[in-house]
């Protein structure tokens, strides 16, 4: 049975170490900014436990019409056991609104390569039921000296129409990245 346990200030150093291992600098906030987010009531960082064993973490933003998964990772020693799939099915099954996340674009969009980690991530999310929305989406920079990244915005349970996409990206840009969408 899965259990979510809120990440708080006491857990923060351990959590940020995990985040630094699983996400490159361009895909995460600097430590001070991430710590600051803990006080934001819309931000929900949680450790994922399975039968009382820490197996990963998920950081979400809860908005009125959708949940945005900013970071999700299963710890290395628990990967390739179906835990990530089972957890995400459990997580989205509990949600009564859209669940949205970003996924890196493959190096070669036109000629997918099975060895490309980005391509494999997309296929993982699609198997769970996420839809890859083919809009021109870019993850804004997480801060000075960090690069924006071309991404896909994925949604569950159905693809986004353009008006939904516009509203959702405006909210994500404003609250998660603190920038205005252009």
């Amino acid at each position: 049975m899965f259990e979510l346990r809120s990440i708080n200030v006491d857990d923060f150093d351990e959590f940020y170490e995990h985040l630094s291992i699983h996400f490159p600098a361009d895909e995460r906030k600097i430590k001070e900014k991430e710590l600051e987010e803990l006080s934001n009531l819309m931000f929900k960082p949680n450790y994922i436990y399975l039968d009382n064993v820490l197996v990963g973490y998920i950081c979400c933003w809860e908005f009125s019409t959708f949940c945005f998964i900013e970071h999700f990772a299963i710890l290395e020693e628990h990967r390739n056991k179906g835990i990530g799939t089972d957890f995400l099915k459990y997580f989205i099954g509990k949600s009564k609104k859209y669940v949205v996340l970003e996924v890196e674009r493959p190096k070669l969009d036109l000629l997918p390569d099975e060895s490309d980690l980005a391509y494999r991530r997309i296929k993982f999310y699609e198997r769970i039921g996420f839809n890859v929305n083919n809009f021109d989406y870019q993850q804004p920079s997480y801060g000075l000296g960090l690069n924006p990244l071309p991404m896909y915005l994925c949604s569950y349970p159905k693809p986004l129409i353009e008006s939904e996409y516009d509203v959702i990206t405006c909210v994500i840009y404003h609250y998660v990245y603190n920038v205005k969408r252009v």
Side-chain angles (χ1 to χ4, degrees):
M1 172 79 99
F2 288 108
E3 178 188 358
L4 293 176
R5 296 183 192 169
S6 185
I7 295 170
N8 58 42
V9 174
D10 295 335
D11 306 319
F12 182 76
D13 286 337
E14 177 189 27
F15 161 69
Y16 198 79
E17 187 176 318
H18 287 301
L19 198 64
S20 299
I21 291 168
H22 298 117
F23 293 91
D26 286 338
E27 294 183 32
R28 61 183 152 80
K29 295 178 179 92
I30 61 170
K31 190 173 184 176
E32 294 75 20
K33 181 66 175 154
E34 195 73 41
L35 180 60
E36 187 180 302
E37 296 293 7
L38 292 180
S39 63
N40 188 323
L41 297 178
M42 291 181 287
F43 183 60
K44 310 290 184 196
N46 288 286
Y47 277 131
I48 303 166
Y49 283 82
L50 177 60
D51 299 328
N52 240 7
V53 174
L54 176 64
V55 295
Y57 57 89
I58 188 166
C59 300
C60 303
W61 290 81
E62 289 288 339
F63 301 111
S64 60
T65 59
F66 71 99
C67 169
F68 174 66
I69 299 174
E70 183 179 13
H71 292 107
F72 167 66
I74 298 299
L75 304 181
E76 193 74 38
E77 61 271 23
H78 299 290
R79 290 185 184 164
N80 300 314
K81 299 175 184 175
I83 294 171
T85 299
D86 291 346
F87 173 75
L88 278 179
K89 286 179 179 178
Y90 161 82
F91 184 83
I92 61 179
K94 289 178 31 171
S95 183
K96 296 185 180 8
K97 47 191 167 184
Y98 273 118
V99 179
V100 177
L101 56 84
E102 300 163 332
V103 65
E104 185 180 353
R105 287 180 180 259
K107 304 285 183 269
L108 300 170
D109 276 338
L110 299 176
L111 299 169
D113 179 358
E114 295 286 334
S115 67
D116 184 350
L117 189 56
Y119 175 76
R120 290 183 14 227
R121 280 191 190 117
I122 289 169
K123 292 301 174 195
F124 167 77
Y125 289 119
E126 286 179 330
R127 282 191 304 274
I128 292 167
F130 280 88
N131 300 277
V132 177
N133 295 283
N134 203 16
F135 295 106
D136 188 26
Y137 180 80
Q138 184 161 298
Q139 174 193 295
S141 167
Y142 269 112
L144 188 62
L146 300 174
N147 297 308
L149 299 169
M151 298 268 195
Y152 286 119
L153 202 60
C154 297
S155 58
Y156 179 89
K158 62 185 181 92
L160 302 173
I161 60 172
E162 191 169 358
S163 59
E164 293 168 324
Y165 167 81
D166 287 341
V167 169
I168 286 172
T169 56
C170 283
V171 170
I172 292 170
Y173 274 37
H174 178 77
Y175 290 100
V176 178
Y177 298 107
N178 299 307
V179 297
K180 187 173 183 167
R181 184 173 156 235
V182 274

